[in-house]
Amino acid sequence: MVMKVIPIRSGRAPVPPYDGGPLADTLERPLRDLRISVTDRCNFRCVYCMPREVFDSSYRFLAHGEILSFEEIARLARIFVGMGVKKIRLTGGEPLVRRDLPRLVGMLAELGADLALTTNGSTLVKHAGALAQAGLKRITVSLDSLDDAIFRAMNDVDFPVAKVIEGIEAAAAAGLAPVKINMVVKRGTNDRDVLPMAERWRGSGHIVRFIEYMDVGSTNGWRMDEVVPSAEVVRRIAERFPLEPIDASYAGEVAGRWRYRDGAGEIGVISSVTQAFCRSCNRLRLSTEGQLFTCLFAQSGHDLKSLLREGASDDGIRAEIAAVWRARGDRYSEIRTSETARMPKVEMSYIGG
Ligand code: SAM
Ligand code: SF4
Ligand code: SF4
């Protein structure tokens, strides 16, 4: 039988149409989770993500015409949901620096997927209400320390802890509780804040997630000896507040879950360096300019923006996405070495964390 092919556009290899069946990649992983980066810009210069020596006034961020419009993002998101995506997370860069973001949230909320947002929290006091009203269901706020001096040094724009905490409270008051609070743990920089962070949010209903410092991008000067293994984080917390492991809430959940034995809530650990979870990785990333990435550590993406702007049909776009997913074999974290850590990779602020 001759397979029918959809001509996508000149210069692009034709791909077979998407037949509507379940999508699995070469390691039998389904597509479930889509992260959408809405901007490559940020008002912070976190030392592990956008070091200011690189992301300075001469850095060329994307121009307005290069980035996907809300309508383009919403069209793609609708196609993805139709292909099995259940969770959409808006990220960046800092998503809340994109003007009028609640309008996009409203457009995506209509699709019925679980809709979440990751933010540095700096402007949440202003935006939390509008985001919740537009249909946002869940929020993750990054906060690396409760020590004001350490936090100001890590965000490198002198931003105070107190304002992020106000943002977390504003999000909870707007109905976005429980808030997930992400802390990237870097040895020698903020690892002494692990226990204070656990203690501060115990019993609050919010969930702190301790993230191993990763070798994303090529600019943060990552070193293995600055990674604090999650096992050490759990041990340090459990010595003071006994913990027990709990089951993942769904297949492919990134965070390992632990709860306080005294019932004061739970924490999560994201161990992408010491306990890679590529086996169950069901995530795709859509960059600000419409490139599709099958792995956080990818070196290149697949251009969906050109398809959109050259008038491709939904069927044509679906066929392209299916072909990308079915060819996927990424398992970077499983095969990480000091060599791969030095390879050029796309920056996290661009691809979407
Ligand atoms: N600006 C938003 C924020 O900071 O929450 C969203 C984008 S940020 C890239 C998403 C998440 O990635 C944040 O929680 C951040 O701490 C985390 N992240 C950034 N660089 C990282 C690195 N090198 N290792 C581990 N996590 C990192
Ligand atoms: Fe900005 Fe988030 Fe990266 Fe920090 S981690 S520089 S807040 S994008
Ligand atoms: Fe998924 Fe790539 Fe991370 Fe592995 S390294 S869990 S494939 S994003």
Side-chain angles (χ1 to χ4, degrees):
M1 192 181 86
V2 180
M3 175 96 73
K4 192 176 145 224
V5 292
I6 293 189
I8 298 285
R9 68 176 176 112
S10 52
R12 195 186 278 255
V15 291
Y18 170 55
D19 53 12
L23 268 185
D25 70 6
T26 62
L27 300 173
E28 293 301 321
R29 297 170 294 191
L31 168 61
R32 284 276 178 277
D33 188 337
L34 176 67
R35 307 213 168 171
I36 303 177
S37 173
V38 295
T39 178
D40 60 338
R41 293 167 196 255
C42 186
N43 56 336
F44 281 15
R45 285 294 175 273
C46 301
V47 290
Y48 52 74
C49 178
M50 296 180 77
R52 68 162 57 250
E53 314 78 77
V54 178
F55 294 88
D56 59 11
S57 54
S58 63
Y59 187 83
R60 192 189 159 274
F61 289 100
L62 295 168
H64 188 68
E66 291 174 293
I67 72 177
L68 293 187
S69 67
F70 286 172
E71 286 68 24
E72 288 171 326
I73 293 174
R75 178 176 174 207
L76 288 177
R78 183 176 44 76
I79 290 173
F80 279 112
V81 169
M83 296 176 79
V85 163
K86 303 268 183 280
K87 275 180 63 182
I88 297 178
R89 177 172 295 280
L90 297 176
T91 178
E94 171 48 42
L96 294 178
V97 305
R98 178 100 185 235
R99 194 176 316 145
D100 212 10
L101 193 74
R103 188 166 78 80
L104 177 65
V105 168
M107 292 161 84
L108 299 183
E110 286 173 10
L111 302 175
D114 174 13
L115 185 60
L117 170 98
T118 304
T119 171
N120 62 26
S122 59
T123 60
L124 259 187
V125 168
K126 186 168 159 210
H127 295 300
L131 290 167
Q133 240 172 13
L136 189 71
K137 290 283 171 273
R138 297 187 300 112
I139 198 157
T140 300
V141 179
S142 301
L143 176 60
D144 294 325
S145 178
L146 291 172
D147 180 308
D148 202 47
I150 293 176
F151 184 63
R152 286 175 192 257
M154 283 185 85
N155 62 54
D156 213 7
V157 293
D158 210 27
F159 198 86
V161 170
K163 284 207 165 165
V164 179
I165 294 180
E166 281 171 26
I168 293 171
E169 282 161 2
L176 296 170
V179 177
K180 286 187 179 147
I181 301 169
N182 275 0
M183 170 177 177
V184 176
V185 185
K186 203 174 164 194
R187 196 181 297 284
T189 302
N190 66 339
D191 58 319
R192 73 180 111 134
D193 298 319
V194 164
L195 196 55
M197 276 289 275
E199 187 160 19
R200 168 67 176 78
W201 301 104
R202 250 172 63 84
S204 69
H206 306 316
I207 302 168
V208 183
R209 304 182 330 155
F210 300 90
I211 305 179
E212 288 179 352
Y213 171 43
M214 291 186 287
D215 51 324
V216 288
S218 313
T219 59
N220 65 6
W222 182 87
R223 293 202 331 250
M224 186 66 202
D225 60 5
E226 289 176 327
V227 177
V228 181
S230 292
E232 183 180 330
V233 166
V234 170
R235 195 176 61 242
R236 284 204 219 169
I237 297 172
E239 277 169 7
R240 173 80 179 81
F241 304 111
L243 290 166
E244 61 193 8
I246 41 179
D247 289 341
S249 352
Y250 54 90
E253 187 171 30
V254 174
R257 298 173 66 202
W258 294 78
R259 79 176 152 221
Y260 295 109
R261 283 184 190 268
D262 64 2
E266 65 174 275
I267 61 157
V269 288
I270 300 181
S271 324
S272 36
V273 179
T274 62
Q275 280 177 287
F277 37 76
C278 301
R279 277 287 113 196
S280 59
C281 178
N282 50 26
R283 284 178 293 287
L284 254 184
R285 291 180 157 82
L286 179 66
S287 79
T288 315
E289 59 172 342
Q291 296 272 324
L292 199 56
F293 289 88
T294 55
C295 177
L296 178 56
F297 299 90
Q299 290 175 292
S300 61
H302 305 264
D303 183 11
L304 291 188
K305 181 175 70 180
S306 304
L307 282 184
L308 288 170
R309 297 197 177 169
E310 289 168 13
S313 65
D314 286 3
D315 278 346
I317 295 171
R318 265 191 281 275
E320 183 73 10
I321 293 168
V324 166
W325 189 261
R326 286 182 168 141
R328 174 181 189 251
D330 303 273
R331 51 188 198 97
Y332 177 89
S333 288
E334 283 182 359
I335 55 172
R336 174 187 284 109
T337 60
S338 44
E339 243 54 330
T340 57
R342 278 198 297 273
M343 274 165 17
K345 295 177 235 94
V346 179
E347 292 302 320
M348 196 166 184
S349 51
Y350 166 84
I351 193 174

